[in-house]
Every structure is written in structure tokens, then in C-alpha cells.
């Protein structure tokens, strides 16, 4: 089956990965999951995805930030859009984390991501790239 | 005595005030001499009186210069001593010059003789308490000497021109007057010294209460700092709790949304619903643990509620319960309890939770075929519980954070992705709450040992 594009989900919560995967696959995206930063980066370098969905807090509290920095530093990966997901992004405690101005992040989403938003964002970034 | 003096700069200021007053005295004397000399020429030795007044002005100038020098002295103690010495010198000189002025202008006929009283007051203010009695004695002696010498004809008596009667012709009056004045001098010395002592006491009381205030304010500041730290700690805890609660709820929400949308296959739908159910169960565990942790953190259980707890009975009970889980996983669970273990002061449920958390961790993180031991011993002071396993162990980095709230070792996450990360925090806080300590030893791949001690209730 032809896919709209490939998405890499980096999150240490396997249930979250699985649900996002099922949701996106139902809309004809191809999805791979990584459970930590280094694994995600390795998978990206092996095969470049069209979009990365990245959790802020992986095994370490700022591992997501580290991964986005790594993506920005790597000329091969720099073009890949990054959507950062967290349970804290929209809360009052957002200030405890770096803002989008300093991060290589194209969009912030807050957990739980409504299905419609997830699909809209995936389509927006991947179709925008295809055009 | 020295400590009852006014303090450094204050004493200097008062000596300066005495010097300024003396300028007034000089001016007043000149004002008295001038008109008298005009209206009653030749009646008194005006030249001598003027000379004495000029002498007073001269030493006043010298004392003024000396005081300026004292002000420049750096050591407060030296300043105090010099200012005090200067004041004593000035008062003695003043007494002498006053007696001289009085002698050349009528002797005790001159009302200026009452100014002696003024010097006693000055002495009480400026000099150490008690000195004013000596000044009163000196003033009295000078007065008696002057009067005696005048009556005896050794010193010539200069009759005051304003006065019609010649008081020196009335020896009884002279005796009563001089005696009365000397008595007044001592009375004034007594009164002013008492007042000065009372004032000094007030000063010290005020200073003490000032120091107490400063101390209190320091204590308040420290209390405030401590409260702020507690508040920061609480905020940090809330951030962690919020995250820990939102993560599973988000997953459950997304799972339900996907299932309800009907876009996924029946098989997928069942899978995500099972995941949601599992997360909901874990969420309930987390809430239970958080409740326990909060109870311990807030120390809502006070020592008054403590009872004598048999730690050995609780270990047997928990081990019995855990045995099923351990055997199901292919683990050997062994329990070794010393005879007649003394009770500890605690709450049974909390101690049970300590054993449950330590044993369930050991079982969870030990592979099939491994072993878990729990032992309980005691010495003269303490009861010692140990839980050891042959499990995965942890790195020194993980070991240093193992009692932190929500901290989970990386390898532990792989085995059990959604553990709450507060179990060991609960254990540590519980043990410490009841006066004990806990420590962990571990090596990656070589198992872990948790050892806690609690004070014996019978000691």
C-alpha cells in the first residue's frame, strides 16, 4: 500500500507510540517507533523520515531537547520537521523548559493529542514537503 | 563602672555640650562684671575677676581643641577614656575657678555659689557613677576652705556691693549656710546618681530588647527561608506528579478516542483498549502510592499514634503473600528471621508497606531462576531488615538517585515501563519518619541489597 509519508515517533511510552502509530497508519502514513533519543537518532540516520514526533521527557528529563539539538546540528537531518509533544508544554510550567525560539522544533503539541489534530499536523507537514 | 558611661560618640557629644555651656558661662560672667564695675567702681577687684574669666575662656578653648583630637581617635575605648578624663579635668577646673570668682565677688554672699550644684549634676551625667560624690566632697571642701580662710582673715573678704547686710558678721548664719549648701551638694549627688543609674538600666534594657528583636528577626528570616525551600520542594513535587498523572491519562484518552473513531481494525481497537485498561490500573497504583507518599511527606501520622509493631510478623505476612508472585516467576524467595525480635515504634501498615515495596521491587527486577532473600536481625539498639536479590542491579548513577521521587533506573524502565518511581521514596521517608535509616548497595548485573534499621521500642 502506498503511504503518504514516513513518520518517526520518539517516545518512551510504548502505549503512546502504539496508539499514534495505529491512528496515523489508519490515515495511510507509515510509522516507526523509537523508545529513546539515541535509538531515534540512529533510526533517522539509517532512513530519513518525513516527520519526527518527539516527546520532551524521554528517559532523561531533557532528552527530547537534546534530540532536537542533534537534529539541528546534523546537515542530513536538519530539513526534517520536528513536532515536540509533552504533557507540560501548555501548562503553567512551560517556562521551566526552553522555548520554541531556541529549539529546532516546528510545532509544539500537548498530550493528549486529539486524533484530528494529529492527523492535521501530519498531513500539513508531509504534504507541505511534497509540494 | 566604666561600662555605665555613655557610649563613645555620645560621651564626646556631651563633653562638647559642656564646653558650649561654658562659653555661655563666660559671657554671663562678663555681663555681670561689666555693669557692676560701671555702677559700683572700685567695690570689687574687677581686674582679677576679668582675669579669671579670661582664664576660663582660655582653658575652654584648649579643651575644645583637645576634644577635636579625641574625635579623631579611632579606638572607641580610647575615645571613651580620653573624653571621660577631659570631663573630669574640666569639672575640677570649673569648681576651682567658680570658687575663685565667688571669693573675689562677695564669697558666700554671692548667689553664684549655688552654681556648685550645677557641677554635681554635670558630673553625674558625664562621669562614672559615684564620682559625683567625690565632686560634691571637693566642692564642699573648697567652699568650707574659702569661707574659713575669709572668716579667719587669711583671705580678704570682698563685700558684695548690692548687699546691705554683712553676712560675714553672722558666724552662726555662715555655719548654717555652708553646712546647708554642702548637704544640698551631697543630696543632689545622690539624686542625680540614682537617676543616672536608672537611665543606664533603661538603656541596657532597651539594648537587650533591641538585640532580642534582631535575633527574632533573624529567626523569622531563617524560618521564612525554610518555608520557601519547602514551597519550592512542593512545587517541584507537583510538577512531577502532574507529569506522572497526565502521561497515563493522555494515553488512555488517545486510546479511547482511536477506539471510538472506528478507523482502526477490530484487532487494533482491542489492542489499544487493553493498553488503556492496563494504564488505568497503573494509574490507580500510582494514586495509591502518591497517597501513601503524601501521608509520609506531610507526616500526618505523628509519633503519638505510634504503637509497638512486630516487624518480624509483618515480614512473615508480606513474604507469604509475595511467595505466590515469586514462584510464579520462577524465583526462590527465602526469609530468615532472628528469634525474639524486639518491636519498633511505628504504624503497622507503614512498616508493612516498607516490606511490600522492597520485596516487590526485588521480585520485579530479578530474572527467572534468581533468588530473593529477606532477613531480620537485631542488636542492642536496633532492628535491622535486609532485602537482597540476584537481579539486574543498577549503575552507581542510578544508585545515587534511587530514593528520589519518580526516579527510575533506565534498566528498570525496560523491565517495567510504567512503575510509579515513588515506592522507594515511600520506604525511605517511612523509615526515617520512625527514626531509622535505609541504604542501598548495588552493582549492575549483580543484584541489589536494601538495608534498613529502626530503633527498638524496648530501648
Amino acid at each position: 500500500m502506498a503511504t503518504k509519508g514516513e513518520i518517526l515517533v520518539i517516545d518512551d511510552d510504548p502505549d503512546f507510540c502504539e496508539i499514534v502509530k495505529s491512528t496515523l497508519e489508519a490515515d495511510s502514513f507509515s510509522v516507526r517507533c523509537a523508545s529513546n533519543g539515541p535509538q531515534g537518532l540512529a533510526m533517522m540516520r539509517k532512513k530519513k523520515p518525513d516527520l519526527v514526533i518527539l516527546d520532551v521527557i524521554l528517559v532523561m528529563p531533557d532528552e527530547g531537547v537534546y534530540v532536537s539539538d542533534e537534529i539541528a546540528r546534523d546537515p542530513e537531518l536538519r530539513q526534517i520537521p520536528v513536532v515536540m509533544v509533552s504533557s507540560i508544554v501548555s501548562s503553567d510550567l512551560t517556562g521551566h523548559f526552553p522555548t520554541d525560539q531556541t529549539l529546532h522544533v516546528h510545532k509544539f503539541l500537548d498530550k493528549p493529542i486529539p486524533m484530528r489534530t494529529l492527523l492535521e499536523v501530519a498531513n500539513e507537514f508531509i504534504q507541505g514537503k511534497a509540494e | 563602672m566604666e561600662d555605665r558611661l555613655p557610649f563613645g560618640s555620645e560621651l564626646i557629644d556631651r563633653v562638647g555640650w559642656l564646653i558650649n555651656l561654658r562659653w555661655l558661662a563666660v559671657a554671663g560672667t562678663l555681663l555681670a562684671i561689666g555693669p557692676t564695675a560701671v555702677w559700683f567702681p572700685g567695690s570689687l577687684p574687677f581686674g582679677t575677676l576679668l582675669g579669671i574669666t579670661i582664664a576660663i575662656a582660655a582653658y575652654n578653648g584648649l579643651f575644645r581643641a583637645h576634644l577635636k583630637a579625641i574625635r579623631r581617635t579611632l579606638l572607641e575605648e580610647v575615645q571613651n577614656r580620653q573624653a571621660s578624663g577631659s570631663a573630669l579635668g574640666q569639672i575640677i577646673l570649673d569648681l576651682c575657678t567658680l570658687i575663685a570668682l565667688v571669693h573675689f565677688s562677695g564669697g558666700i554672699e554671692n548667689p553664684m555659689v549655688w552654681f556648685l550644684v550645677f557641677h554635681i549634676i554635670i558630673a553625674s551625667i558625664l562621669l562614672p557613677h559615684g564620682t559625683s560624690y567625690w565632686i560634691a566632697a571637693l566642692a564642699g571642701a573648697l567652699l568650707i576652705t574659702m569661707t574659713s580662710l575669709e572668716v579667719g582673715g587669711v583671705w580678704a573678704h570682698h563685700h558684695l556691693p548690692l548687699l546691705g547686710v554683712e553676712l560675714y558678721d553672722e558666724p552662726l548664719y555662715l555655719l548654717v549656710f555652708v553646712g546647708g549648701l554642702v548637704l544640698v551638694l551631697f543630696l543632689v549627688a545622690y539624686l542625680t546618681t540614682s537617676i543616672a543609674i536608672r537611665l543606664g538600666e533603661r538603656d541596657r534594657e532597651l539594648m537587650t530588647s533591641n538585640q532580642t528583636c534582631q535575633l527574632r528577626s533573624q529567626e523569622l528570616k531563617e524560618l521564612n527561608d525554610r518555608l520557601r525551600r519547602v514551597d519550592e520542594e512542593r512545587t517541584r513535587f507537583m510538577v512531577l506528579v502532574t507529569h506522572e498523572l497526565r502521561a497515563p491519562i493522555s494515553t488512555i484518552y488517545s486510546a479511547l478516542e482511536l477506539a471510538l473513531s472506528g478507523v482502526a481494525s477490530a484487532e487494533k481497537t482491542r489492542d489499544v483498549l487493553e493498553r488503556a485498561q492496563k494504564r488505568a490500573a497503573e494509574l490507580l497504583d500510582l494514586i495509591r502510592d502518591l497517597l501513601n507518599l503524601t501521608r509520609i511527606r506531610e507526616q500526618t501520622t505523628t509519633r503519638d499514634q505510634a504503637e509497638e509493631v512486630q516487624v518480624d510478623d509483618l515480614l512473615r505476612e508480606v513474604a507469604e503473600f509475595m511467595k505466590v508472585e515469586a514462584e510464579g516467576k520462577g524465583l526462590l524467595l527465602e526469609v530468615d528471621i532472628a528469634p525474639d525480635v524486639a518491636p519498633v515504634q511505628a504504624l503497622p501498615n507503614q512498616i508493612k508497606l516498607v516490606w511490600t515495596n522492597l520485596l516487590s521491587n526485588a521480585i520485579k527486577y530479578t530474572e527467572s531462576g534468581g533468588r530473593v532473600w529477606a532477613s531480620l536481625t537485631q542488636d542492642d539498639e536496633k532492628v535491622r531488615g535486609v532485602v537482597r536479590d540476584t537481579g539486574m542491579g543498577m549503575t552507581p548513577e542510578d544508585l545515587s538517585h534511587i530514593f528520589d521521587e519518580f526516579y527510575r533506573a533506565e534498566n528498570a524502565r525496560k523491565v517495567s515501563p510504567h512503575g510509579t518511581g515513588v515506592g522507594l521514596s515511600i520506604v525511605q521517608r517511612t523509615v526515617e519518619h520512625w527514626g531509622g535509616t535505609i541504604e542501598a548497595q548495588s552493582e549492575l548485573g549483580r543484584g541489589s541489597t536494601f538495608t534498613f534499621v529502626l530503633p527498638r521500642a524496648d530501648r
Side-chain angles (χ1 to χ4, degrees):
Chain A
M1 189 177 81
T3 67
K4 287 186 183 173
E6 188 171 312
I7 298 171
L8 177 64
V9 182
I10 309 177
D11 197 307
D12 63 338
D13 182 343
D15 296 333
F16 176 82
C17 284
E18 200 50 47
I19 292 160
V20 169
K21 189 171 164 84
S22 300
T23 308
L24 291 170
E25 280 176 353
D27 197 27
S28 307
F29 288 99
S30 158
V31 181
R32 287 184 297 160
C33 284
S35 64
N36 60 55
Q39 190 192 0
L41 285 166
M43 285 168 79
M44 259 183 263
R45 285 176 180 135
K46 209 167 169 188
K47 185 167 183 252
K48 261 171 51 175
D50 300 301
L51 174 68
V52 172
I53 296 176
L54 173 65
D55 192 9
V56 176
I57 298 179
L58 298 173
V59 177
M60 304 299 287
D62 57 352
E63 199 174 327
V65 175
Y66 158 78
V67 172
S68 78
D69 284 348
E70 281 294 298
I71 295 172
R73 259 201 289 279
D74 192 329
E76 289 294 311
L77 305 178
R78 201 174 291 157
Q79 285 75 33
I80 306 172
V82 176
V83 173
M84 194 168 264
V85 179
S86 171
S87 309
I88 26 183
V89 166
S90 73
S91 74
D92 295 340
L93 301 153
T94 310
H96 290 257
F97 286 87
T99 64
D100 50 350
Q101 281 160 1
T102 59
L103 282 178
H104 176 75
V105 169
H106 301 81
K107 197 169 186 72
F108 281 96
L109 286 179
D110 191 19
K111 275 187 187 176
I113 313 167
M115 221 174 108
R116 212 174 68 192
T117 311
L118 179 66
L119 294 173
E120 273 172 14
V121 168
N123 281 299
E124 177 195 330
F125 278 105
I126 287 179
Q127 278 168 15
K129 182 190 162 251
E131 277 162 14
Chain B
M1 280 299 180
E2 283 296 319
D3 64 327
R4 294 190 177 175
L5 277 174
F7 298 98
S9 62
E10 197 186 341
L11 178 62
I12 290 179
D13 288 346
R14 288 186 188 174
V15 175
W17 160 77
L18 177 60
I19 290 171
N20 288 338
L21 272 182
R22 197 171 295 109
W23 291 127
L24 278 178
V26 168
T29 311
L30 288 175
L31 272 176
I33 295 171
T36 317
V38 172
W39 288 322
F40 307 98
S43 60
L44 291 173
F46 292 111
T48 311
L49 288 171
L50 192 64
I52 294 168
T53 314
I54 289 167
I56 295 172
Y59 75 66
N60 203 33
L62 287 175
F63 277 121
R64 188 165 173 272
H66 182 223
L67 191 68
K68 272 192 175 173
I70 294 175
R71 272 190 210 278
R72 282 196 294 272
T73 310
L74 289 177
L75 273 174
E76 194 176 351
E77 200 187 320
V78 178
Q79 269 194 346
N80 248 335
R81 211 173 46 236
Q82 290 182 344
S84 185
S86 169
L88 181 64
Q90 291 179 45
I91 289 168
I92 291 173
L93 268 176
D94 282 344
L95 285 177
C96 297
T97 47
L98 178 61
I99 289 292
L101 277 175
V102 166
H103 164 64
F104 287 109
S105 56
I108 60 155
E109 292 168 357
N110 191 333
M112 267 174 77
V113 79
W114 286 99
F115 275 105
L116 287 173
V117 173
F118 179 70
H119 289 85
I120 309 302
I121 298 171
I122 300 273
S124 308
I125 296 170
L126 291 182
L127 301 177
H129 304 322
T131 315
S132 52
Y133 289 111
W134 290 106
I135 298 297
L138 177 64
L142 285 170
L143 180 71
I144 292 167
T145 307
M146 178 198 77
T147 317
S148 308
L149 290 174
E150 283 176 348
V151 171
V154 182
W155 284 0
H157 166 56
H158 305 274
H159 182 63
L160 200 63
L162 288 166
L163 204 64
V165 258
E166 175 52 81
L167 291 179
Y168 279 74
D169 291 342
E170 307 287 341
L172 190 64
Y173 176 82
L174 283 184
L175 197 66
V176 170
F177 181 86
V178 171
L181 184 50
V182 170
L183 191 67
V184 167
L185 290 177
F186 277 98
L187 265 175
V188 168
Y190 169 73
L191 284 174
T192 50
T193 302
S194 314
I195 292 168
I197 287 172
R198 286 290 298 277
L199 285 177
E201 280 167 0
R202 290 279 161 81
D203 257 8
R204 276 193 301 284
E205 277 168 20
L206 208 64
M207 211 160 68
T208 315
S209 90
N210 236 340
Q211 284 166 347
T212 314
C213 275
Q214 278 173 1
L215 210 69
R216 289 275 175 284
S217 121
Q218 180 64 23
E219 282 172 4
L220 276 178
K221 195 178 161 299
E222 279 163 17
L223 188 67
N224 202 23
D225 286 349
R226 206 161 63 227
L227 282 175
R228 203 176 51 234
R229 279 197 299 277
V230 167
D231 202 47
E232 281 166 6
E233 161 82 357
R234 186 159 297 168
T235 307
R236 194 189 65 84
F237 183 68
M238 286 309 295
V239 173
L240 289 168
V241 168
T242 312
H243 183 261
E244 294 299 320
L245 287 175
R246 275 190 77 155
I249 292 173
S250 299
T251 305
I252 293 167
Y253 177 90
S254 298
L256 294 176
E257 195 185 21
L258 179 63
L260 286 171
S261 72
V263 297
S265 66
E267 194 191 344
K268 281 266 180 210
T269 303
R270 186 177 174 80
D271 175 59
V272 295
L273 283 177
E274 274 170 3
R275 285 173 187 272
Q277 188 190 27
K278 188 164 63 79
R279 295 304 289 272
E282 285 163 0
L283 196 55
L284 287 173
D285 285 349
L286 174 62
I287 289 166
R288 181 206 60 211
D289 279 358
L290 281 175
L291 208 60
N292 283 326
L293 183 61
T294 309
R295 279 202 197 109
I296 300 287
R297 281 173 66 93
E298 301 298 324
Q299 310 216 324
T300 44
T301 51
T302 63
R303 279 161 214 277
D304 309 341
Q305 296 169 279
E307 50 185 273
E308 293 201 344
V309 176
Q310 283 301 142
V311 188
D312 49 348
D313 289 347
L314 292 173
L315 172 57
R316 278 188 203 99
E317 194 184 320
V318 172
E320 192 60 36
F321 179 74
M322 292 278 171
K323 213 166 187 147
V324 184
E325 196 183 331
E327 281 169 358
K329 213 183 154 185
L331 293 178
L332 192 62
L333 173 59
E334 290 173 279
V335 177
D336 187 11
I337 300 172
D340 306 320
V341 175
V344 300
Q345 281 289 329
L347 286 183
N349 278 343
Q350 292 187 355
I351 300 303
K352 195 172 165 182
L353 201 62
V354 168
W355 284 123
T356 309
N357 281 339
L358 290 178
L359 278 171
S360 71
N361 271 357
I363 292 167
K364 198 188 293 175
Y365 301 117
T366 303
E367 306 77 20
S368 179
R371 292 168 74 183
V372 173
W373 296 272
S375 73
L376 187 65
T377 53
Q378 64 184 350
D379 59 22
D380 290 345
E381 302 285 324
K382 287 167 175 134
V383 168
R384 179 184 307 271
V386 179
V387 173
R388 184 181 303 168
D389 63 58
T390 57
M392 58 171 56
M394 60 192 117
T395 63
E397 165 72 9
D398 286 333
L399 190 60
S400 65
H401 292 289
I402 199 64
F403 294 110
D404 294 356
E405 282 145 12
F406 303 110
Y407 185 84
R408 302 204 61 224
E410 194 171 345
N411 54 358
R413 283 169 183 267
K414 285 183 184 135
V415 174
S416 166
H418 305 298
T420 61
V422 293
L424 287 175
S425 309
I426 292 173
V427 169
Q428 186 191 37
R429 285 186 185 261
T430 306
V431 168
E432 286 178 355
H433 180 62
W434 297 113
T437 54
I438 183 163
E439 56 176 31
Q441 289 167 312
S442 185
E443 209 178 312
L444 197 60
R446 297 208 161 186
S448 306
T449 304
F450 288 85
T451 308
F452 69 87
V453 291
L454 285 165
R456 286 171 62 153
D458 56 355
R459 287 293 182 274

